[in-house]
Amino acid sequence: MITASHPRAEGGGLSGLLLVALPVALLIWLVLWPVLQAVVGTVYFPGKGFSLSSYAFFFTDAYSLRNLWLTLWVTALTSALRVAVAMPIALYLRFRSGSIAALVQSLALFPLFVPSVLVAYAFIRVLGPNGIVDTVLVALGLPKLPTPYLTPAGPIIGLVWERLPLTLLLLLSGLGRVSIASVDAARDLGAGGLTIFSRIILPRIQSSIIVALAFNVLGLFSAFTLPYLLGPASPEMMGPYMQRTFSDNADPLNATTQAVITFAFCAAFGLVYVRAIARGRRGPA
Amino acid sequence: MAQVRLSGIAKTFGKVTALDAMDLVIDDGELVCLLGPSGSGKSTLLRIIGGFETPSAGAIAIDGVDVTGLPPERRPTAMVFQSHALWSHMTVHGNIAFGLKLRRLPKSEIRDRVERVLDLVGLAGYGGRLPSQLSGGQQQRVALARSLVIEPKILLLDEPFASLDQHLRERLRDEVRDIQQRLGITAVFVTHGQDEALAISDRIVVLADGRMQQVGRPGEIYAEPKTAFVAGFIGAMNMLDGLLADGEIAASGLRLAAEGSGPARLAIRPEDIALSEPADGRAATVRRMIDFGAHVVIDSALADGTHLRIQTDKAIRVAPGERIGIRVDRWTVFTEDGEPRRYRSDTLRSFRDVRYA
């Protein structure tokens, strides 16, 4: 009698769990446990009991709210700009080949290999007061332009440039699922470039755009180096604000409260990311 | 009337010549197959007709109008792609109606035309489904419907059934031929399947290395190949390297009457060989027998070990290692610089009489 052997599902499941055990353990130890500690540390005070006073302070303090608002709109604008700048480059790289496309790809990915501090100082040298742009304008007998250095525009320009490659790679990954034949088919039926983009390409890379935006928001909301070096002193983004509250003001409770609030915003966008991934896995883009 | 005229079409990619100076006229209502191996330039030629590639030289005219510089969206053509290229986020109805919506037709007319074309391709009632809910064959039918619904003058099909299984491919190619004839539409069909080309074409254009090898009706291409390449590519063929001398061609121990001198290639179709008593220059050794049900193919070895395939009656049974005699009824001899010469055994006597008189 011939019998077929069946791999035991339980064994496969156990192997899978063992494979993820180490990263999950690290996640619990290095992320979830400190988060839990931070949350508990901001709402429970030994000997005094529960209190939401630090949160009440944050959400009633005008300066904290201005910082939160600045962080929110800088994050939103930078994310949108990154996608807006990366999209045409991604479309070009997806549907063109050759030496010029290779050059464009190299230039677009170059910021990936430049540390944030270098970006900041390069920015200051080029766009800062008496920087290269000013020097050129003066040499041409033109008036100097208002510098974006130490204004909200400073970190926005720096942050857009710094993380453009990541957005580009995410969009390229999504566009990889849009076949050239499907674009050709639309052209063949009479569609122009804008129609192809809005009705054929865009609906099929929605998940990738959401993922790119979510990744951007997660990185931007707690960005430190560029907002610290290029941004205004007041209001300031949450990253520098937290650092200053903790170090300069020696106020760990409020710094932790700011961190928990920042984490809550990031977690919300993290959920958007997880949902987008789940949606992408359920069906074709 | 929808006639396509290609005049001196050439295409180069860098230093590579994909197509070399092609002239071809495809008549109204004709179905022409571009047949060739991978890299022969058949898809490039189709894409040039569709406007997806610009020729490096030459001109294309459709109904006498030069369309060489026009993009695909401004040509009276529609293409069915090998990969179906359906838009997965749209329903079947959405896919088919896309071209009609671009033409800003009234909704009622769009609905009617989509329903009519779905009926034509045998998918009535499937309009609400997503492409992912259809089989490969159904998806290809939707792709065909999407192209037909805009009523193009020229239908271009780029290996549309390559990803389907043999049975479905045969059924769909018959359906496409039927629809093409019913609508009287001019069609250009790219395939690397010789059976497919022989089955549905009015004419076949055989391509190799970016050059047209032969243009003709399926039967003509099969029976009278003009080059050794066409002979070897279309249908099953035994191609043997031989030497012409003394009114004969000697190839792998096989000797057949033929004119000329010098090196040549001997082409014999398996069905043009019959079994007989072994004789000098007319014998082979059986390697194996393949039973196809309707007929039998004997894979045999000639004196120097060269394979010779023989197609014979299904009642024939031979054993591996058995020595068999062969009688060749028809053969063609190709020389480097001459027209192919065709011979038949029933005219051999007269030929030999003339040769040795």
Side-chain angles (χ1 to χ4, degrees), chain A residues 119-152:
Chain A
V119 174
Y121 284 104
F123 172 95
I124 295 167
R125 295 279 298 174
V126 176
L127 292 169
N130 302 318
I132 293 169
V133 172
D134 274 358
T135 310
V136 170
L137 289 172
V138 169
L140 294 171
L142 297 167
K144 287 182 181 179
L145 291 173
T147 176
Y149 179 48
L150 301 182
T151 73

Side-chain angles (χ1 to χ4, degrees), chain B residues 259-308:
Chain B
E259 288 177 303
S261 61
R265 300 203 79 191
L266 173 63
I268 311 167
R269 295 227 178 262
E271 67 267 28
D272 290 334
I273 305 172
L275 298 186
S276 67
E277 286 303 311
D280 185 36
R282 300 275 200 283
T285 306
V286 175
R287 294 168 64 97
R288 66 188 182 118
M289 197 183 78
I290 309 154
D291 192 344
F292 284 95
H295 62 267
V296 162
V297 170
I298 299 167
D299 179 18
S300 65
L302 290 169
D304 66 349
T306 305
H307 285 236
L308 185 78

